C-alpha cells in the first residue's frame, strides 16, 4: 500500500494556523492580482491605491476603525455564544433592534447629550437583548434550535427598519430616502471621524476575554459548552447560564447597532446593518473561539471590506468584490484545515522483514 | 533481529500477522512507548497487560494508524507498513474496538455497520442494509437486531455491533481495548466464545484487560508493558494471576481484609446521613428502573451494592446525588426532606460522586486537566472568591490532586482526554474524595484501574469510612465488595433485594440474590 506522507491530527497548534493563514492570504492576493491583470486592470496600481486608502493614510486608518467597531462587537457576540456551544446567527437582527431602540430614544426624548447618550446606549443593549429573548427562552426551556430562530428574526428586524424609515420615522426635514432625520445627538469623536465607540468596543472585547477566563460565570460557561452533562453533574444551572449568555450576546450586537447609528451613520437607515451581523459570524470563526482573537479577526475583516470599497471606486463591480472576499476567506479556511496535517515522521523501510 | 520459530499449529514459514520492531511513541514530556517488539501469530489470542498509563492503548493506536510511531516499524505478514489512518489499517485487515464506542447513537445497527464502508452498496435501502447485516451477523455468529437503534442497545449489544463492523471489513487481526469493562458476566462469556471461534478460523486477537482471571481464561500468550517498555511475553499456560500482577507492577500486591477498622477510626454513626424511603423511578418509556428502594446511609460505614450491571445501579447513584428525580418516595438528607433533585444541593451537603461513565459525565474531555480538576471546588476559596475564578489556585489544586492520585502529568494545560483511561479515573476519584465530607457514591470506581490501583482505591474508601464518611460502593466484583463493605445490598430488576451483613455474607448467597432469588430462600438457617 502506498504510504501517504501526511496525517491529520485532531487539533492544530495556533502558530501553525497563523502561518498557514498568512500563506493563504498571500496566495489569494496573487490569484486576485493574476485575474485582475488578465481582465485589463493593473494590480500594482490597484494595490498601491488600496494600501494608500487603508493602512497607508490617516483617512484610511480612520475608515478601518469605523469598520472594525461593529465587527468587534458582533464578532464578540457570536464568540461568547459559541463558548457555551450555541450559535447566534441573529446578530444582524439584534444590531437593527439596538439601532432602532437607540434611534427611538434620540427622536423621542429631548435633553442634553450627556443624558441622552447613556440612555441610548442602554436602550440599544436592551433592544438587542429583547430581539434574542424569544430564541433564548425557546432554547433554554424547549430545546428549540437557536440557529433557525435567531436567523429568522433577522428578516423581521430588517423589514421593521425599512418600515420605520419609510413610514412613521421617515425624514421629514431633508427628505432623505429610507432614512430618519439626522439624530440630534452623536457619540463624540475621538480621532478624526473615529468616535469613542471604537475604543469602548476594544475594551469590551478584552473585558469579555477576562470574564470568560477569570470569573466563576465564565468557568461555568466554558464547562457548559464543553460538556453539558458534566456541568449538570457539577450542579451548574446550565439553563440559567444559557439564558445569560444569549442575552449578553444579543446585547453586544444591539450595542453595535447603537454605536453605528449614533457614531457613524447618525441616522437610522434601511439596510444600514451592512451584513455586520453575518460578518460577525465570519469574525468569530476566524477567531476560533477566543475573545482576544476577535480583535485581529475584526481588523482583517475590516481591511477586506475597506479594500472592497476602494475597488468599487475603480470600476470593479460589487459582485467582483464579493467574489474576492469569498476567495480570501475560502483560502483561509483551507489553510486552517491544512494546519491539521503533519508530515509522517516515519522512515519505515519497505520490503520483506528480516 | 530476534527471528522466531513458528509456533505449533502454524504452518512452517508462515510469518506472524503482526510484528512490531522497536516501536517508540513520544508525547511532550511522556515516553508512551519505547523499544516495543511484539509478534502476533495467526490463530492466537494475545493479551496485553500493564498498569494504568503503561502505554497499551497508545501502542494499539500506533498499530491502527491513529498515531504515527517516532521509532520502529510495523510489519504485516512480513511486509513493512505505514498506516496514516484507521481506514488504511482496516483495509489491511487490522480492526480495533475502542473502549469508548464510536457508534452513531441515532442510527440503526444496519446503518452503523455500513457507515463508511467501501463495500456498502451505492444505493442502499434500509431493507437491503438490514438483510446484509443479518447475513453478516449470522456468518460471524454475533447475533444483532439490524433494525434496532444503537441508543436502545445495552453496552454488550453495542460492542457486538462494533465487532461486527470490524469483522465485516474482513479483519484478520481484531484489537480490543478493555472490552469486558462494561460487560455483564454472561456478555463476557458470549464475547469469549465468539473470540475463540474467530481464532479457530486462523485469525488473531489482541485483547487489553486489567482482569487477570479473564486473561488466564481467554489468552494463549501474554505480553506485559511497564512504563512504555515491554517486560516480556509469556505463554499463558506458564502463568498464574499473582505472578502476572507482580510482573506488571514490579512488586507484590498484598490483598488484605480491609473491613477491620484501625485504632481511632470513626464509629458507625447512629443517625443516618441520607435515607431513601420507598423510592421509585420510572423512565421516559414507562419502565420502572428503580422500585420501592429504601435504605439508610450511616457515617463511618461502607454500604456495598452488588448486582449485575443494568439492574438499577445507575438510577440509584443518580437519585443519591440529585441527578435524577424520583417518581415516588422520599429522600432525606440529615433528616430533612429533599424537595427536588438538584445536584448543587447534594454537592453543598458534601456528597461526592464517582460516576460510572467518567468521560461522559464527570469530565469535559476537551478542556485542560486544571480546569477539570476545579470542577467541584471552583465556587469556593481559594479558587472562587467574589465571583472570580483564580486559575492559579486551580493549578495548585490540580497539582495536589494529581500528586495524591499518583498520576504524573507533563502539562496541566493539555486536554484531559490525553491522559490514559485509568489515570483520568484516578483523578476523578481523588477529586470526589476531597469534597465527600458526608457521603461518597462510588459507581464501579475500580473499572479501568490496574490491579495495584484497585487496592489503592479500596484503601481510599476505607480511609473515608474511618473519617466518618458514609460510602456507597457499587461494584460487580464480589471479592472487592466483601473486602471493604460493612453491609451489602443486592440489586435485581430495580429492586434492592436485601441488605445483609458482610460479616455473615458469602459469595454463594450474594450470587443467588443477584439472580433474583428471594432472601428468605437463601439466608442460611432461615426458617419456614
Ligand atoms: N494524545 C496524547 N497526548 C499526550 N500524552 C498522551 C496522549 N495519549 C497518551 N498519552 C500519555 O501516554 C501514556 C500512555 O497512555 P495510554 O493511554 O497508552 O495508557 P494505557 O496503558 O492504555 O493505560 P490505561 O490502563 O489507564 O488505559 C500516558 O502517560 C498518557 O498520559
Ligand atoms: Mg488505555
Amino acid at each position: 500500500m502506498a504510504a501517504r506522507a501526511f496525517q491529520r491530527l485532531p487539533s492544530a497548534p495556533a502558530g501553525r494556523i497563523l502561518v498557514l493563514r498568512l500563506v493563504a492570504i498571500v496566495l489569494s492576493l496573487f490569484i486576485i492580482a493574476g485575474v485582475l491583470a488578465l481582465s485589463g486592470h493593473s494590480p500594482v496600481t490597484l494595490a498601491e491605491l488600496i494600501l494608500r486608502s487603508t493602512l497607508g493614510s490617516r483617512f484610511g486608518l480612520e475608515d478601518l476603525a469605523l469598520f472594525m467597531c461593529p465587527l468587534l462587537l458582533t464578532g464578540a457576540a457570536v464568540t461568547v455564544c459559541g463558548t457555551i456551544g450555541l450559535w447566534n446567527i441573529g446578530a444582524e437582527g439584534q444590531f437593527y433592534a439596538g439601532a432602532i431602540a437607540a434611534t427611538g430614544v434620540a427622536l423621542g426624548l429631548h435633553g442634553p447629550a450627556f443624558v441622552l447618550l447613556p440612555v441610548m446606549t442602554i436602550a440599544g443593549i436592551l433592544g438587542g437583548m429583547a430581539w434574542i429573548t424569544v430564541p433564548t427562552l425557546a432554547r433554554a426551556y424547549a430545546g428549540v434550535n437557536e440557529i433557525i430562530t435567531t436567523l429568522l428574526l433577522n428578516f423581521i428586524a430588517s423589514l421593521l427598519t425599512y418600515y420605520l424609515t419609510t413610514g412613521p420615522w421617515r425624514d421629514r426635514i431633508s427628505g432623505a430616502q429610507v432614512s430618519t432625520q439626522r439624530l440630534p445627538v452623536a457619540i463624540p469623536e475621538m480621532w478624526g471621524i473615529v468616535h469613542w465607540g471604537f475604543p469602548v468596543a476594544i475594551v469590551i472585547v478584552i473585558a469579555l476575554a477576562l470574564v470568560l477566563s477569570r470569573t466563576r460565570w465564565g468557568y461555568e460557561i466554558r464547562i457548559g459548552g464543553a460538556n453539558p452533562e458534566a456541568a449538570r453533574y457539577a450542579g451548574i444551572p446550565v439553563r440559567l447560564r444559557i439564558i445569560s449568555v444569549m442575552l449578553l450576546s444579543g446585547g453586544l450586537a444591539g450595542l453595535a447597532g447603537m454605536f453605528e447609528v449614533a457614531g457613524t451613520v447618525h441616522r437610522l437607515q434601511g439596510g444600514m446593518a451592512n451584513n455586520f451581523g453575518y460578518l460577525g459570524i465570519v469574525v468569530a470563526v476566524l477567531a476560533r473561539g477566543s475573545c482576544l482573537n476577535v480583535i485581529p479577526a475584526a481588523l482583517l475583516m475590516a481591511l477586506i471590506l475597506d479594500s472592497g470599497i476602494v475597488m468599487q471606486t475603480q470600476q470593479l463591480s460589487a459582485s467582483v468584490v464579493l467574489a474576492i472576499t469569498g476567495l480570501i476567506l475560502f483560502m483561509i479556511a483551507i489553510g486552517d484545515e491544512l494546519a491539521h496535517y503533519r508530515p509522517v515522521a516515519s522512515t519505515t523501510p519497505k520490503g520483506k522483514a528480516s | 533481529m530476534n527471528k522466531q520459530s513458528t509456533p505449533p499449529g502454524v504452518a512452517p514459514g508462515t510469518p506472524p500477522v503482526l510484528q512490531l520492531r522497536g516501536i517508540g511513541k513520544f508525547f511532550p514530556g511522556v515516553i508512551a512507548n519505547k523499544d516495543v517488539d511484539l509478534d502476533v501469530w495467526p490463530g492466537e489470542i494475545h493479551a496485553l497487560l500493564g498498569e494504568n498509563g503503561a502505554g497499551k492503548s497508545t501502542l494499539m493506536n500506533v498499530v491502527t494508524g491513529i498515531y504515527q510511531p517516532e521509532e520502529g516499524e510495523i510489519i504485516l505478514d512480513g511486509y513493512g507498513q505505514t498506516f496514516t489512518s484507521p481506514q488504511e489499517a482496516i483495509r489491511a485487515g487490522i480492526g480495533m474496538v475502542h473502549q469508548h464506542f464510536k457508534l452513531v447513537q441515532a442510527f440503526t445497527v444496519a446503518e452503523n455497520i455500513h457507515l463508511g464502508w467501501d463495500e456498502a452498496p451505492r444505493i442502499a435501502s434500509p431493507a437491503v442494509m438490514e438483510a446484509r447485516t443479518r447475513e453478516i451477523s449470522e456468518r460471524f455468529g454475533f447475533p444483532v437486531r439490524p433494525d434496532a437503534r444503537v441508543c436502545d442497545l445495552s453496552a454488550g449489544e453495542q460492542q457486538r455491533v462494533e465487532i461486527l463492523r470490524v469483522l465485516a471489513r474482513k479483519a484478520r487481526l481484531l484489537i480490543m481495548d478493555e472490552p469486558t469493562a462494561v460487560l455483564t458476566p454472561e456478555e463476557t462469556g458470549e464475547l469469549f466464545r465468539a473470540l475463540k471461534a474467530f481464532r479457530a478460523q486462523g485469525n488473531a486477537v489482541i485483547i487489553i484487560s486489567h482482569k487477570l482471571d479473564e486473561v488466564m481464561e481467554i489468552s494463549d500468550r501474554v505480553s506485559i508493558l511497564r512504563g512504555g517498555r515491554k517486560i516480556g511475553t509469556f505463554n499463558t499456560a506458564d502463568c498464574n494471576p499473582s505472578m502476572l500482577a507482580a510482573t506488571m507492577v514490579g512488586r507484590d500486591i498484598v490483598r488484605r481484609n480491609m473491613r477491620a477498622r484501625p485504632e481511632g477510626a470513626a464509629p458507625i454513626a447512629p443517625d443516618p446521613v441520607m435515607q431513601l424511603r420507598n423510592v421509585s423511578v420510572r423512565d421516559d418509556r414507562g419502565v420502572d428502573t428503580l422500585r420501592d428502594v429504601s435504605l439508610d446511609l450511616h457515617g463511618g460505614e461502607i454500604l456495598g451494592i452488588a448486582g449485575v450491571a443494568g439492574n438499577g445501579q445507575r438510577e440509584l447513584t443518580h437519585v443519591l446525588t440529585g441527578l435524577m428525580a424520583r417518581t415516588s418516595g422520599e429522600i432525606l438528607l440529615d433528616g430533612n426532606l429533599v424537595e427536588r433533585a438538584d445536584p448543587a444541593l447534594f454537592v453543598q451537603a458534601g456528597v461526592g460522586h464517582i460516576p460510572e461513565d467518567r468521560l461522559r459525565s464527570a469530565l469535559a474531555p476537551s478542556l485542560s486537566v486544571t480546569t477539570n480538576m476545579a470542577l467541584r471546588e471552583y465556587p469556593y476559596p481559594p479558587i472562587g472568591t467574589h465571583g472570580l475564578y483564580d486559575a492559579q489556585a486551580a493549578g495548585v489544586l490540580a497539582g495536589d490532586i494529581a500528586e495524591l492520585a499518583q498520576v504524573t502529568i507533563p502539562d496541566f494545560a493539555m486536554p484531559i482526554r490525553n491522559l490514559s483511561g485509568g489515570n483520568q479515573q484516578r483523578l476523578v476519584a481523588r477529586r470526589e474524595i476531597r469534597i465527600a465530607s458526608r457521603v461518597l457514591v462510588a459507581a464501579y470506581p475500580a473499572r479501568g484501574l490496574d490491579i495495584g490501583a484497585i487496592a489503592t482505591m479500596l484503601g481510599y474508601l476505607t480511609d473515608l469510612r474511618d473519617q466518618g464518611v458514609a460510602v456507597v460502593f457499587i461494584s460487580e466484583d464480589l471479592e472487592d465488595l466483601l473486602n471493604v463493605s460493612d453491609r451489602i445490598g443486592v440489586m435485581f430488576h430495580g429492586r434492592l433485594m436485601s441488605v445483609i451483613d458482610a460479616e455473615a455474607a458469602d459469595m454463594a448467597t450474594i450470587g443467588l440474590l443477584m439472580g433474583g432469588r428471594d432472601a428468605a430462600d437463601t439466608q442460611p438457617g432461615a426458617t419456614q
Side-chain angles (χ1 to χ4, degrees):
Chain A
M1 156 179 322
R4 267 195 278 114
F6 289 94
Q7 186 199 14
R8 189 181 195 283
L9 301 176
S11 63
R16 184 190 284 269
I17 287 180
L18 188 64
V19 170
L20 278 163
R21 279 186 179 181
L22 291 178
V23 171
I25 292 173
V26 171
L27 263 181
S28 36
L29 291 182
F30 273 111
I31 297 176
I32 295 163
V35 173
L36 288 179
L38 284 180
S39 58
H41 296 267
S42 158
V44 182
T45 335
L46 208 54
E48 232 182 79
L49 185 67
I50 287 175
L51 267 184
R52 215 168 343 106
S53 26
T54 55
L55 293 170
S57 70
R58 156 132 193 197
F59 294 117
L61 287 174
E62 288 176 10
D63 273 346
L64 269 187
L66 284 187
F67 272 120
M68 262 182 90
C69 181
L71 288 172
L72 284 168
L73 291 172
T74 54
V78 180
T79 301
V80 163
C81 227
T83 312
I84 203 164
L86 301 177
W87 282 99
N88 177 9
I89 307 294
E92 187 93 353
Q94 295 137 26
F95 181 107
Y96 276 122
I100 290 172
T103 306
V105 170
L107 294 181
L109 298 182
H110 299 281
F114 73 89
V115 176
L116 268 190
L117 280 176
V119 179
M120 284 167 72
T121 307
I122 293 169
I125 294 173
L126 290 179
M129 286 182 171
W131 210 250
I132 205 176
T133 300
V134 171
T136 302
L137 296 179
R139 170 80 232 183
Y141 289 98
V144 178
N145 188 324
E146 76 287 351
I147 296 181
I148 296 165
T149 48
T150 51
L151 174 68
L152 292 180
L153 283 173
N154 287 347
F155 305 117
I156 298 176
S158 167
L159 290 174
L160 181 62
T161 311
Y162 276 110
Y163 165 71
L164 288 173
T165 50
T166 53
W169 290 359
R170 70 176 182 279
D171 183 2
R172 294 184 172 85
I173 296 168
S174 64
Q177 295 297 307
V178 203
S179 170
T180 62
Q181 66 188 66
R182 196 180 163 91
L183 301 188
V185 290
I187 300 175
E189 269 138 21
M190 166 190 91
W191 183 64
I193 54 170
V194 182
H195 56 85
W196 277 95
F198 174 69
V200 170
I202 298 255
V203 169
I204 287 177
V205 169
I206 295 172
L208 273 177
L210 286 174
V211 165
L212 283 178
S213 63
R214 294 291 156 82
T215 66
R216 252 172 80 172
W217 183 81
Y219 178 84
E220 296 181 342
I221 302 299
R222 284 186 288 137
I223 296 280
N227 185 358
E229 203 172 318
R232 225 172 76 73
Y233 160 90
I236 295 171
V238 180
R239 189 174 281 171
L240 287 181
R241 293 298 171 267
I242 287 180
I243 293 174
S244 60
V245 166
M246 287 184 74
L247 290 181
L248 172 66
S249 178
L252 287 167
L255 184 62
M258 181 273 171
F259 280 175
E260 193 70 3
V261 82
T264 307
V265 183
H266 302 294
R267 302 159 175 267
L268 182 68
Q269 291 178 343
M272 71 175 290
N274 226 340
N275 289 337
F276 283 132
Y278 295 112
L279 292 173
I281 302 168
V282 178
V283 169
V285 170
L286 288 174
R288 298 176 73 87
S290 142
C291 264
L292 284 183
N293 286 351
V294 164
I295 297 175
L299 173 63
L300 175 66
M301 203 60 235
L303 258 176
I304 294 177
L305 283 182
D306 207 0
S307 312
I309 290 182
V310 175
M311 284 193 266
Q312 285 186 33
T313 64
Q314 300 303 303
Q315 277 73 53
L316 284 166
S317 73
S319 40
V320 172
V321 173
L322 210 58
I324 290 175
T325 310
L327 177 70
I328 295 177
L329 295 174
F330 177 64
M331 294 290 280
I332 288 179
I334 294 179
D336 279 6
E337 179 59 23
L338 287 182
H340 286 265
Y341 284 83
R342 203 186 60 164
V344 171
S346 175
T347 51
T348 311
K350 295 237 128 196
K352 195 90 178 158
S354 58
Chain B
M1 284 175 69
N2 55 343
K3 197 174 178 119
Q4 235 176 320
S5 58
T6 325
V10 178
T14 315
V17 190
L18 173 73
Q19 271 179 299
L20 301 181
R21 286 289 168 264
I23 295 290
K25 175 71 201 168
F26 316 121
F27 293 110
V30 186
I31 297 176
N33 295 130
K34 177 80 185 155
D35 298 330
V36 179
D37 294 346
L38 190 73
D39 294 300
V40 181
W41 295 92
E44 87 162 329
I45 296 181
H46 198 114
L48 198 55
L49 282 183
E51 287 181 285
N52 294 130
K56 306 177 295 292
S57 299
T58 304
L59 187 67
M60 292 304 106
N61 287 337
V62 164
V63 170
T64 50
I66 292 172
Y67 293 143
Q68 305 303 314
E70 267 84 27
E71 296 172 0
E73 47 181 326
I74 300 170
I75 301 154
L76 229 64
D77 300 317
Y79 292 92
Q81 290 279 15
T82 324
F83 299 129
T84 56
S85 70
Q87 286 74 33
E88 280 179 21
I90 186 70
R91 260 176 240 133
I94 303 185
M96 179 152 171
V97 175
H98 295 265
Q99 181 169 359
H100 300 282
F101 301 145
K102 297 180 189 284
L103 298 171
V104 183
Q105 294 286 323
F107 278 20
T108 64
V109 170
E111 284 163 342
N112 267 289
I113 297 265
H114 285 82
L115 195 65
W117 186 13
D118 310 347
E119 288 175 28
R122 209 154 278 279
I123 300 166
S125 68
V128 171
M129 287 199 286
E130 280 163 24
R132 283 174 57 102
T133 305
R134 201 162 294 120
E135 189 269 318
I136 295 166
S137 122
E138 277 158 19
R139 176 145 44 96
F140 292 106
F142 282 89
V144 293
R145 285 176 289 146
D147 56 341
R149 290 207 182 279
V150 164
C151 52
D152 297 334
L153 300 183
S154 75
E157 290 171 313
Q158 292 194 24
Q159 188 179 60
R160 279 208 288 270
V161 179
E162 285 267 11
I163 297 174
L164 265 188
R165 246 182 85 87
V166 172
L167 294 186
R169 289 156 175 75
K170 302 203 183 65
R172 292 168 301 127
L173 172 59
L174 179 61
I175 300 175
M176 306 201 72
D177 195 349
E178 298 188 38
T180 60
V182 293
L183 299 186
T184 64
E186 288 82 61
E187 286 173 329
T188 302
E190 280 169 31
L191 171 68
F192 284 0
R193 270 193 296 285
L195 289 185
K196 284 174 183 161
F198 182 65
R199 169 181 65 183
Q201 293 155 21
N203 300 306
V205 178
I206 299 179
I207 182 169
I208 299 177
S209 178
H210 288 296
K211 299 183 185 170
L212 300 180
D213 297 334
E214 292 176 3
V215 169
M216 292 298 300
E217 177 190 338
I218 186 78
S219 69
D220 301 302
R221 291 196 302 155
V222 186
S223 290
I224 298 183
L225 292 184
R226 194 198 301 159
R229 292 165 193 270
K230 197 179 92 171
I231 301 291
T233 298
F234 311 91
N235 286 323
T236 310
D238 306 334
C239 300
N240 61 55
S242 58
M243 163 256 171
L244 286 176
T247 320
M248 221 166 82
V249 295
R251 65 190 144 83
D252 280 327
I253 290 161
V254 269
R255 281 254 173 165
R256 57 194 169 87
N257 182 352
M258 302 168 110
R259 233 180 301 148
R261 286 166 164 73
E263 205 63 38
I268 298 180
D271 296 324
V273 245
M274 205 193 289
Q275 286 170 286
L276 300 191
R277 286 201 201 132
N278 310 101
V279 170
S280 297
V281 170
R282 180 168 298 170
D283 69 9
D284 303 336
R285 287 177 294 172
V287 179
D288 289 313
T289 45
L290 210 58
R291 300 163 197 243
D292 199 21
V293 170
S294 299
L295 56 81
D296 290 354
L297 305 182
H298 295 270
E301 184 190 49
I302 298 181
L303 172 66
I305 302 284
V308 175
N311 273 291
Q313 291 93 330
R314 199 177 87 88
E315 289 74 15
L316 180 64
T317 49
H318 283 201
V319 164
L320 286 174
T321 52
L323 282 167
M324 190 181 276
R326 63 201 187 278
T327 320
S328 62
E330 290 178 341
I331 301 172
L332 295 104
L333 252 173
D334 285 321
N336 301 318
L337 205 62
V338 178
E339 297 290 347
R340 64 203 158 86
D342 177 0
L345 214 69
F346 287 74
V347 174
Q348 274 156 25
V351 180
H353 178 200
I354 305 176
E356 187 175 349
D357 186 351
R358 272 60 77 170
L359 211 54
R360 231 181 38 210
S361 44
L363 293 173
S366 60
L367 300 184
S368 71
V369 177
T370 301
T371 307
N372 273 288
M373 287 304 100
L375 191 59
R376 289 304 205 172
E377 293 179 46
Y378 74 90
Y380 312 109
I383 300 176
T385 34
H386 313 302
L388 295 181
Y389 170 79
D390 184 341
Q392 210 149 10
V396 172
L397 172 73
D400 286 351
I401 293 178
E403 194 181 325
L404 278 172
Q406 295 165 358
V407 177
T408 39
I409 293 168
D411 175 11
F412 281 88
M414 78 180 180
I416 198 159
R417 63 161 172 248
N418 284 1
L419 293 178
S420 87
N423 285 342
Q424 294 173 11
Q425 157 72 342
R426 292 182 191 204
L427 291 178
V428 169
R430 275 314 324 184
R431 183 186 75 193
E432 295 306 308
I433 287 168
R434 273 181 69 96
I435 61 144
S437 56
R438 312 293 307 282
V439 179
L440 177 71
V441 180
Y444 309 101
R447 210 176 249 180
L449 292 188
D450 66 55
I451 185 154
I454 291 176
T456 316
M457 169 68 63
L458 298 182
Y460 293 163
L461 299 185
T462 53
D463 287 350
L464 278 179
R465 172 200 68 196
D466 296 341
Q467 289 158 25
V469 175
V471 178
V472 180
F473 172 37
I474 299 173
S475 175
E476 284 166 322
D477 190 316
L478 293 186
E479 208 176 317
D480 287 350
L481 279 171
L482 287 169
N483 241 334
V484 297
S485 310
D486 297 299
R487 290 183 297 153
I488 295 184
V490 182
M491 296 215 59
F492 181 74
H493 285 188
R495 223 178 269 287
L496 191 60
M497 296 296 288
S498 71
V499 179
I500 46 183
D501 239 358
E503 206 84 50
D506 61 286
M507 293 224 187
T509 316
I510 298 178
L512 284 173
L513 285 168
M514 279 167 63
R517 301 278 294 279
D518 210 289
D521 347 319
T522 60
Q523 216 130 61
T527 44
Q528 291 144 26

